[in-house]
Amino acid sequence: MEKAASFLSSLLGGGGGAGEEPAGEPAATVASILIYPIKSCRGVSVPQAPVTSFGFRWDRQWLVVNAKGRALTQRVEPKMALIEVELPPEAFHEDWQPTPDSCLVIRAPGMDALKVPLAAERPTLDDVSVWEWSGSAYDEGTEAAEWFSAYFGKPSRLVRFKEDTEVRPTNPEYVQGYKITFTDCFPFLIASQGSLDALNELLKEPVPINRFRPNILVDGCDPYSEDLWKTLKINKLNFQGVKLCDRCKVPTVNQENGELGTEPTETMLTFRSGEVIRPSHKNKQKVYFGQNLVCKESMSAKGKGRVVKVGDPVYVLQTYPSPNEAPA
């Protein structure tokens, strides 16, 4: 880890001002951008993604809930991994607005395709809850409810976050003033290909990055360098690393068949647990992969050019001295 810190420190150049790219070489390059329109369902790889006040546009906009309005996730329904979601390609352009014909298309094994209109008026469903938050959400209707109920074999509904009236803040223990939709705690998650490659060298069967569900996958940096990234800039947007991502059981769900296993968590406990990388902190049995981020520009009024693209350089402006001193 000292090697990673030294490597990153060597990349810190003069920090350019707002609207400028920093001096010096980038620490990494954006290799993939991944959006998860329905929480806990399959992600969509896109060439670019606009940054909104809630995170990337369309990310975790929808949520499947049970009969009590509580969120369903892969933690209890691993077959959610098999649900594919498709948005119009133009939906990821900064100025695009849905038309009456625009749809979210949902597919799953043994099911006919479900089309959910993006621009239709929808009723409100109260008492929707995900983790600590509860509020109201748009109900996507009977057809969607029947589709998901048939797939899971129990009453379920599809709801959409009400951006115009509901506020779900990020965890105030780590950062304040930011808001999210149906993500777990923070609007962005970054991870590196180097970290995945290093992990896979230790596994009997390599795992793909979809086990960890990042929004931004970067390449070109040392393994686990992202642990230390405190402030970074991508396409003139300022991001802050606010919390190492402790992993739940979802990385042990095979995203190709929905089956639950023990890896990679079992191996990660030997070298990525709190006991190993954060020995002076609690939560010693948690394992960490990736860093949660917020974007400074998402707090202000809408502006042009707030887009992250595949191929964008990543400039690291400040680092934490070690994972032990990074928030987690």
Side-chain angles (χ1 to χ4, degrees):
M1 193 51 64
E2 291 179 0
K3 178 183 177 182
S6 175
F7 172 77
L8 283 169
S9 297
S10 71
L11 296 177
L12 301 182
E20 300 177 10
E21 293 292 12
E25 292 296 317
T29 302
V30 175
S32 300
I33 299 170
L34 300 140
I35 308 297
Y36 308 88
I38 304 177
K39 183 177 180 66
S40 249
C41 295
R42 283 192 179 176
V44 180
S45 180
V46 298
Q48 64 177 37
V51 172
T52 74
S53 57
F54 295 89
F56 281 141
R57 190 178 188 187
W58 307 114
D59 192 49
R60 277 85 168 192
Q61 279 272 312
W62 287 269
L63 178 73
V64 183
V65 297
N66 64 17
K68 296 182 178 180
R70 295 174 181 167
L72 296 182
T73 75
Q74 288 187 34
R75 295 167 177 85
V76 294
E77 292 289 351
K79 65 188 294 187
M80 294 186 81
L82 307 183
I83 299 176
E84 298 180 0
V85 184
E86 179 183 335
L87 282 161
E90 58 271 21
F92 298 96
H93 296 167
E94 187 176 11
D95 297 322
W96 184 80
Q97 294 298 323
T99 68
D101 296 328
S102 303
C103 289
L104 177 76
V105 182
I106 305 170
R107 297 181 175 88
M111 303 290 294
D112 293 333
L114 172 67
K115 293 185 177 181
V116 178
L118 295 178
E121 291 190 11
R122 302 168 299 278
T124 294
L125 182 67
D126 295 323
D127 298 322
V128 170
S129 62
V130 53
W131 307 128
E132 81 302 331
W133 178 88
S134 63
S136 62
Y138 291 120
D139 184 355
E140 292 292 8
T142 301
E143 184 180 359
E146 291 176 348
W147 192 96
F148 280 98
S149 297
Y151 183 67
F152 291 116
K154 60 185 179 182
S156 308
R157 301 194 75 84
L158 180 68
V159 300
R160 184 175 180 180
F161 194 82
K162 291 185 70 174
E163 293 185 356
D164 50 344
T165 62
E166 296 295 322
V167 176
R168 186 171 174 239
T170 53
N171 189 330
E173 293 183 17
Y174 296 92
V175 66
Q176 297 182 16
Y178 294 90
K179 53 188 179 180
I180 52 178
T181 54
F182 291 131
T183 57
D184 276 356
C185 296
F186 301 96
F188 304 95
L189 176 64
I190 192 169
S192 75
Q193 184 65 43
S195 300
L196 181 67
D197 292 344
L199 170 61
N200 280 333
E201 288 180 2
L202 302 176
L203 297 175
K204 292 181 180 179
E205 296 185 12
V207 297
I209 195 61
N210 63 12
R211 293 289 189 101
F212 297 101
R213 303 174 67 81
N215 296 114
I216 303 171
L217 178 68
V218 301
D219 200 2
C221 59
D222 280 2
Y224 308 109
S225 295
E226 64 270 26
D227 289 356
L228 307 179
W229 294 352
K230 186 175 183 180
T231 59
L232 52 150
K233 184 168 282 195
I234 307 173
N235 194 21
K236 304 176 184 177
L237 297 170
N238 294 278
F239 291 86
Q240 178 184 351
V242 293
K243 184 180 183 295
L244 295 181
C245 187
D246 57 281
R247 311 310 306 217
C248 61
K249 66 190 293 185
V250 171
T252 64
V253 177
N254 186 317
Q255 299 295 300
E256 305 308 316
N257 58 25
E259 294 180 0
L260 187 66
T262 60
E263 292 288 12
T265 300
E266 191 172 276
T267 294
M268 292 175 68
L269 279 167
T270 66
F271 77 108
R272 290 294 299 171
S273 68
E275 186 173 12
V276 175
I277 68 172
R278 295 173 53 78
S280 65
H281 294 261
K282 59 181 181 179
N283 301 326
K284 287 182 168 45
Q285 292 308 303
K286 289 187 175 182
V287 296
Y288 296 89
F289 192 98
Q291 170 95 260
N292 290 294
L293 308 176
V294 295
C295 178
K296 179 180 178 181
E297 284 73 17
S298 68
M299 297 183 69
S300 58
K302 293 182 179 179
K304 294 289 186 181
R306 296 178 181 178
V307 178
V308 175
K309 301 177 181 179
V310 171
D312 280 345
V314 178
Y315 295 93
V316 176
L317 309 182
Q318 291 180 292
T319 60
Y320 295 103
S322 72
N324 201 46
E325 297 177 64

